[in-house]
Amino acid sequence: MRSLKQWEAIALAAVVGCSRAPSGTLPAVPSSPAAANEVRSNGDAYVIRFTPTPDPIPLGQLFSLDVSVLDARTVPLPGKDVTLAVDARMPEHQHGMNVEPRVTPRGDGRFTVTGMEFHMAGRWEITFDVTRAGLTERAQVEKVLE
Amino acid sequence: MPVRITLRMIRTSCSIFPTLLVAFASAATPKSEMRFGHYEREIAGLAEPEGVAIAADGTIVVAESGRDRVSIFAADGSPIRSWGSRGSGPGQLLEPRGVAIAPDGEIFVVDSGNDRVQVFSMAGEHRHDWGNRGRGPGQFADPVGIAVDASRVVVVDRGNRRVQVFDRAGKFVASIASDDDDADGMRRPEGVALGTQGRIVVTDSDADRVHVFDASGKPIARFGASGPYPGMLGAPLGLACRDGRVYVADSQNHRVQVFDESGSVVYQWGVHTIQPHEGAGHLHYPNALALDESGRVAVVVESFENRCQIFSAVPKDSIPPLDEAALFGGEPLTHFGATLSLGGDLLAIPEPESHALQLFDFSRSDPILITTIGNRGRKFGEFVRPSAVLLDPLHSLLYAIDAGNRRLQQFRLDRREPGELKFRPSMSCLVRSLDLRAVQKSASLEWTPDPCAIARDSAGNVWLVDERNSILIAVSSKLEFVRAIGDASSLPHPTDVAWSRAGDLAFVVDATRRCVQAFDSNGKPSFAFGGDLVEPFGIVAGRDGFVYVTDAGADRVLKFDERGQLVTMWGREGMGAGEFFKPKGIDQDEKGRIVVIDSGNHRGQVFGADGKFIDAFGSRLYVKAAKKSREKKE
């Protein structure tokens, strides 16, 4: 198992590049390791903070995520009407995980995601879909496993 | 399902699949068993046939949606008579989509455009009718399939996602419906047939499965899954039941599959066309079928090809083995959806059959595929039957209507090096997804919007053409509801919209009134034009100040000025350069080039603003026909 820390900043830069509008209105790429597990949604309405367990994410083993959904000013979202869906894919391989993760709300915009597994080495993209009143925004973060 | 995918699977996966198929085709059944598969003849020259039934004497009854009539043919396919005229009065029809014959010979027609069922004698005398538009018992929203027995009339009420049961007089008896969030429920019911013991068997095209209910409407079986293999389905539409077997028009797999009522596969017949528009037993999007009383004759309807094919049942052993070359070695095809969008140097086209969007570099005259977006599924970023797209090059955004999941999705495109001709799978990322049920609530609509087209106005609002509610819906670039305009009286059947160059007029194609209706910016109907259109579909208000409209029913493109005066037109039926077969979506790019989705020819065609053919792209044989004809002309 290899630590992911050294990959995360580079990977995040690549992913957030996708969410950078030509006008440059979207947030800057987190540059420090401390910010590596924080990502803004692509429409800029939410900030997602997450912590994997175990950390770093292992290859071929189940892991979980503690996720906090914050508003754009990084204030926790207390609303019960906020739902979260989490998934992961390997874009180059055009497939997802072999498992279906389960998201459990814990209140105050916090969620526990269990049953995640990266079964292959390579570039994975974790997606966080936050839904409120029928409108969903996505945030995504990249993880590269070797 | 797309042959392209099938080929990829075969090339990369196995040599055992043909073996499996042979095993499938020669399943252990008695040698004397009769099976369909022997092609007899075709009934050609129809206009959008949607439903078929066979009378006790072998007479074939076809619901011809494109001519708003019912046509009667002898058992040998020779025409006898037609009845019906376009309209809403008693006996008149508007896009009839289903037909069934009762044991006593009465003909029941689903008069879809009028949201009613009409009953006729075999001679075409109008007996009675029932139904109107709505959600209540006995009301309909875009009804399609129908089945009749001695005491019941069962109608698929597609827009209400339910099946309604009536007595023979049209009195409401029961409704079979699914909860919106029931993953196992009916998502898009299409065809219905009555099986043994009064069972009600329904195809579900968005879920690629068949539901079996008992006579009381209780679900007792469900079978099918998405895919090309035996037992899997690709947008199943019409069906028929006979002697415990269920015959399904497996449209996107270009075959008829035969199941027992528990869902076990018995056999299949029909293979995809190889040559363009080929028939003679080759099937191309079969959408309905009927069996005669003896179970010896089957009529398969292919609305896509404006024809029916008649098959007979013959001893199983006399049917030639499946032509594997036709199944797996045929011409790779692209199955463009009906719409497109141009923006910057990009061209976007939805491909409903692969449940994905295709994005092309269009800096040259021949578009180069640079990425695909999405795949079949219900998760965010995935699609079921994407129906329309809109490029917003200024903000690097792409909007897509995800019709089967009832949502609007917005993607950001990141083409790091403009002009790079490199396929890159992660060129897009989902930004937002709007559940259209939230729009229904915000706008107080009767039905969840079912948009078929999308356009952008000069203020940056995105307009959805909602044929179900007969309105246009505007949402902001953040997918927040803004407003809705139109109603059933001003827009009975909108199919596309475009905003004038100055942004003061919305031009909306109306398929029922067969015209273009202009609305002012307040949503008030202004003027209409295009009175001689046959089946208008797509529209673009060009950067050059002209309005271009496709006429799918007359295989042409018409060019108007913004006051509705006809400037020129081009096209006729055919496969040559500048010829069309059911042209649908249309758009114009910044260079003034017009691109038309030549839907029935599986290709796009590129023209100058004057209608001069520039190029074609898409399925090779169809493109080759266009290029060859151009060379001849030159």
Side-chain angles (χ1 to χ4, degrees):
Chain A
M1 188 168 70
R2 179 189 171 106
S3 167
L4 292 174
K5 290 288 186 189
Q6 62 268 45
W7 293 102
E8 286 174 349
I10 298 169
L12 266 170
V15 169
V16 177
C18 183
S19 62
R20 190 188 312 130
S23 58
T25 55
L26 287 172
V29 177
S31 55
S32 68
N37 285 346
E38 178 177 305
V39 62
R40 278 186 179 267
S41 62
N42 297 326
D44 211 17
Y46 306 108
V47 172
I48 306 292
R49 288 181 184 152
F50 64 98
T51 306
T53 303
D55 188 5
I57 294 170
L59 176 64
Q61 291 179 37
L62 290 171
F63 66 95
S64 61
L65 298 173
D66 286 322
V67 181
S68 293
V69 180
L70 316 171
D71 70 12
R73 296 166 300 160
T74 66
V75 175
L77 284 173
K80 290 180 180 174
D81 60 336
V82 177
T83 59
L84 176 72
V86 178
D87 200 7
R89 286 183 61 79
M90 298 190 83
E92 279 78 12
H93 296 254
Q94 298 187 349
H95 66 68
M97 296 184 292
N98 292 331
V99 291
E100 281 288 335
R102 182 176 174 187
V103 179
T104 307
R106 291 161 52 204
D108 294 333
R110 297 172 69 196
F111 300 84
T112 299
V113 185
T114 53
M116 304 271 294
E117 182 184 345
F118 292 165
H119 60 272
M120 276 179 64
R123 187 173 79 91
W124 286 85
E125 193 175 275
I126 305 176
T127 56
F128 302 91
D129 294 316
V130 182
T131 301
R132 206 171 189 185
L135 183 60
T136 301
E137 269 200 32
R138 168 165 290 183
Q140 68 278 316
V141 64
E142 191 174 278
K143 298 286 180 185
V144 179
L145 270 69
E146 281 200 337
Chain B
M1 300 303 290
V3 172
R4 178 173 58 79
I5 287 180
T6 305
L7 288 170
R8 187 189 304 157
M9 294 166 81
I10 294 307
R11 283 173 188 150
T12 56
S13 64
C14 62
S15 58
I16 62 161
F17 187 56
T19 311
L20 288 174
L21 262 188
V22 170
F24 161 76
S26 58
T29 48
K31 282 190 174 180
S32 59
E33 185 193 344
M34 303 293 278
R35 288 185 169 186
F36 287 107
H38 182 73
Y39 167 75
E40 293 283 353
R41 65 190 72 85
E42 74 172 21
I43 302 173
L46 301 169
E48 309 286 340
E50 295 287 350
V52 65
I54 305 177
D57 64 356
T59 300
I60 298 166
V61 180
V62 178
E64 250 190 295
S65 177
R67 294 195 180 108
D68 304 295
R69 70 184 188 185
V70 172
S71 295
I72 311 292
F73 300 87
D76 65 0
S78 55
I80 298 176
R81 62 181 169 274
S82 296
W83 76 77
S85 60
R86 189 173 179 82
S88 299
Q92 292 187 307
L93 296 164
L94 208 52
E95 298 167 12
R97 291 185 173 272
V99 62
I101 303 175
D104 61 7
E106 278 195 323
I107 298 178
F108 290 71
V109 179
V110 178
D111 185 10
S112 189
N114 288 316
D115 295 297
R116 66 183 176 183
V117 174
Q118 293 204 69
V119 185
F120 299 88
S121 69
M122 186 59 85
E125 295 160 338
H126 175 258
R127 296 264 171 86
H128 62 104
D129 58 71
W130 73 88
N132 57 0
R133 193 162 184 84
R135 300 181 67 182
Q139 294 184 306
F140 301 107
D142 309 320
V144 280
I146 187 168
V148 183
D149 65 13
S151 60
R152 297 178 301 169
V153 181
V154 184
V155 182
V156 174
D157 184 13
R158 187 174 67 189
N160 289 319
R161 298 172 97 180
R162 66 185 179 186
V163 173
Q164 294 197 71
V165 183
F166 303 88
D167 68 14
R168 285 281 303 274
K171 185 182 172 190
F172 174 79
V173 174
S175 175
I176 305 170
S178 301
D179 191 286
D180 257 8
D181 296 319
D182 179 3
D184 296 329
M186 285 186 292
R187 302 193 64 76
R188 188 176 169 88
E190 291 274 359
V192 64
L194 297 173
T196 56
Q197 301 173 339
R199 287 173 178 161
I200 297 168
V201 187
V202 182
T203 53
D204 186 347
S205 63
D206 271 354
D208 295 324
R209 62 191 169 199
V210 174
H211 301 265
V212 183
F213 303 90
D214 70 13
S216 70
K218 181 183 168 190
I220 54 175
R222 189 178 61 246
F223 58 86
S226 303
Y229 298 105
M232 302 173 100
L233 296 164
L237 298 175
L239 79 165
C241 291
R242 177 79 62 202
D243 301 328
R245 289 185 175 177
V246 181
Y247 298 76
V248 180
D250 186 8
S251 69
Q252 291 176 2
N253 287 321
H254 309 284
R255 65 186 175 191
V256 175
Q257 282 205 83
V258 187
F259 300 86
D260 65 24
E261 286 182 7
S262 66
S264 297
V265 182
V266 182
Y267 70 102
Q268 69 178 42
W269 88 83
V271 293
H272 192 287
T273 55
I274 298 174
Q275 295 301 317
H277 309 301
E278 182 180 22
H282 290 255
L283 295 177
H284 208 194
Y285 300 102
N287 56 297
L289 78 160
L291 272 58
D292 76 344
E293 278 203 343
S294 70
R296 297 292 178 93
V297 174
V299 178
V300 180
V301 175
E302 299 158 276
S303 181
F304 191 92
E305 298 288 0
N306 288 339
R307 71 184 176 206
C308 296
Q309 294 193 58
I310 302 173
F311 294 86
S312 60
V314 294
K316 179 174 84 76
D317 294 340
S318 68
I319 298 175
L322 285 172
D323 179 356
E324 290 174 11
L327 276 174
F328 308 120
E331 168 68 11
L333 293 173
T334 49
H335 295 87
F336 295 146
T339 62
L340 80 159
S341 179
L342 296 166
D345 61 354
L346 295 176
L347 161 64
I349 302 178
E351 199 181 58
E353 291 186 40
S354 61
H355 306 280
L357 315 178
Q358 295 188 335
L359 196 64
F360 299 84
D361 178 280
F362 191 44
S363 53
R364 310 184 310 183
S365 65
D366 55 331
I368 307 293
L369 183 68
I370 52 174
T371 198
T372 57
I373 299 170
N375 51 270
R376 194 185 201 290
R378 298 181 66 184
K379 294 176 180 174
F380 297 109
E382 297 180 324
F383 296 100
V384 173
R385 193 170 42 85
S387 60
V389 289
L390 172 68
L391 281 164
D392 174 2
L394 189 65
H395 302 97
S396 295
L397 293 173
L398 173 65
Y399 298 83
I401 294 169
D402 181 16
N405 288 318
R406 304 200 291 179
R407 59 192 180 194
L408 171 66
Q409 304 209 69
Q410 180 193 53
F411 297 83
R412 180 163 294 130
L413 303 174
D414 171 35
R415 201 173 181 200
R416 290 172 191 164
E417 297 169 36
E420 69 172 337
L421 294 177
K422 181 181 176 186
F423 189 92
R424 195 150 61 79
S426 54
M427 194 180 287
S428 67
C429 59
L430 179 72
V431 180
R432 298 180 179 92
S433 178
L434 174 63
D435 186 337
L436 293 173
R437 288 175 296 182
V439 176
Q440 180 186 7
K441 199 173 172 184
S442 303
S444 301
L445 302 175
E446 191 155 15
W447 290 276
T448 301
D450 189 10
C452 57
I454 183 170
R456 191 165 171 269
D457 67 16
S458 54
N461 291 323
V462 172
W463 289 83
L464 308 176
V465 179
D466 177 15
E467 44 182 353
R468 178 69 32 77
N469 291 291
S470 297
I471 55 170
L472 305 179
I473 299 166
V475 297
S476 70
S477 60
K478 292 186 174 179
L479 305 193
E480 294 155 334
F481 172 73
V482 176
R483 66 181 173 129
I485 63 173
D487 54 40
S489 61
S490 60
L491 273 181
H493 187 179
T495 62
D496 201 1
V497 64
W499 283 85
S500 64
R501 195 164 48 168
D504 56 343
L505 289 170
F507 299 112
V508 187
V509 175
D510 191 303
T512 292
R513 292 168 56 212
R514 296 177 165 171
C515 68
V516 176
Q517 175 67 55
F519 289 83
D520 66 21
S521 54
N522 295 318
K524 190 179 168 191
S526 181
F527 61 96
F529 60 94
D532 65 342
L533 294 166
V534 178
E535 190 189 333
F537 185 91
I539 190 166
V540 58
R543 297 164 192 275
D544 55 7
F546 294 98
V547 178
Y548 300 82
V549 180
T550 57
D551 188 352
D555 300 302
R556 61 186 177 175
V557 174
L558 297 95
K559 178 177 179 177
F560 301 89
D561 65 23
E562 287 195 348
R563 299 167 63 89
Q565 295 297 310
L566 181 66
V567 176
T568 187
M569 67 175 92
W570 70 87
R572 61 179 179 179
E573 182 178 342
M575 293 202 304
E579 296 177 332
F580 301 105
F581 189 48
K582 304 183 181 180
K584 295 285 178 73
I586 186 168
D587 204 355
Q588 186 179 42
D589 72 359
E590 290 154 5
K591 299 172 185 169
R593 295 178 299 183
I594 300 287
V595 180
V596 179
I597 296 294
D598 186 9
S599 175
N601 283 326
H602 287 316
R603 67 186 180 189
Q605 292 196 64
V606 187
F607 300 93
D610 56 355
K612 187 180 177 188
F613 175 83
I614 296 174
D615 210 339
F617 60 96
S619 293
R620 192 176 62 87
L621 290 177
Y622 296 85
V623 170
K624 193 175 169 185
K627 293 189 174 180
K628 202 170 174 182
S629 83
R630 179 179 60 174
E631 285 165 12
K632 272 185 183 174
K633 282 177 190 169
E634 289 171 354

